[in-house]
Amino acid sequence: MIDRSPDLHPRYELAKQVIRHFRTPAFYEISQRCNIWCEGCYYFENRHRLRVIDEPSTGDWESFFEREAARGVSMAYFVGAEPALERDRLLAASRYLTYGKIGTNGTIKLDPDIRFRIGVSVWGDDETDTLLRGGSILRKALRNYAGDERAVMLFTLSPWNLHTVPAVLAASRDHGLPVTFSVFSPTRTYSDKIAAQFPADDEFFRLAPEKGIPVFSADDLLRLNDAMTRAMDEFPETVLCTPGFRDVITQAGPLFDIDPNTQVARDCGSRIVGNLRYHSTALTAEAVKCCTPDIECRDCRLYSGVWSSQFIPDARFLRSRETFVVWLDMMDMLGRIFLFPLPEIYRQAGQATA
């Protein structure tokens, strides 16, 4: 493809260099605590989640991240319940690792010395936030991260909040914050509770007994695709998304090749195999299936799995020059969403194509 389109060579080099930043990734559970109660929480709605009784000291975390840097970790993902509750652990990581992404609910402003990308979880406007998360989380997050160059608002879309997209985008734009998208994907624990008609509780299973499972039907996926299209068209300076990513994440049916025996995705880029490791707060590498261990693979549309499965363009992106450009656009956007600060290669690519 590049041989037939030499003018795309600079963009292809940019794509390759972006992908190299993900060559040795690792997930780190930073905290077992959280300060809010999100319906269907990926962490707490997991009956098999790892529980560490005696967590290591700050010095142990420091030594651990020093070893991880020596191991060659090129991209770190800081997850768990709420990483921002463990400031010292994140500071320790930032002293040794160059690139990382912190998943946070945004209610706690992270220390400016923590120089990683910050993915601020968004679930809707004030009314929807109160319903799904127990309070006006978005308002606090916007106040904490307004104009913060590290922050990207990660809007997890579901049938319960799709109507709030314009309001959330407008508020984020007004606070100088870009927005990208994921799609709610239930854990096995959450799905099983719904199927078994468990009664509601007062924590992470409040709404499902009455409202059902918040996943998009085949028809609803068309609405989702349309909502993402309008978002890109109406808020081009705010939305970090591409038509290629939109079409992948909204396609009907399972997004991955599901093993019929285990019901586990065989081709998801977020599977914990090869160089990819997942560490609990005990600082041990755990034998879990993926970056969100209890997620239901057949219903998974998490942006992490979708993005990490695009590093090698498949047949749909190799049909023509135009489809290959769609993939190049995705790789450019991948870097803009996950890498902070943006590598020098972005400036060089801009000069080359100017």
Side-chain angles (χ1 to χ4, degrees), residues 1-8 318-321 323-324:
M1 187 66 65
I2 290 299
D3 291 341
R4 300 196 300 271
S5 303
D7 59 305
L8 295 180
L318 297 175
R319 293 170 184 158
S320 66
R321 173 191 168 91
T323 58
F324 189 63

Side-chain angles (χ1 to χ4, degrees), residues 60-79:
D60 291 332
W61 284 87
E62 188 99 18
S63 299
F64 169 70
F65 284 123
E66 184 176 16
R67 294 193 301 273
E68 286 293 277
R71 185 168 71 85
V73 170
S74 59
M75 183 67 192
Y77 301 94
F78 304 101
V79 297

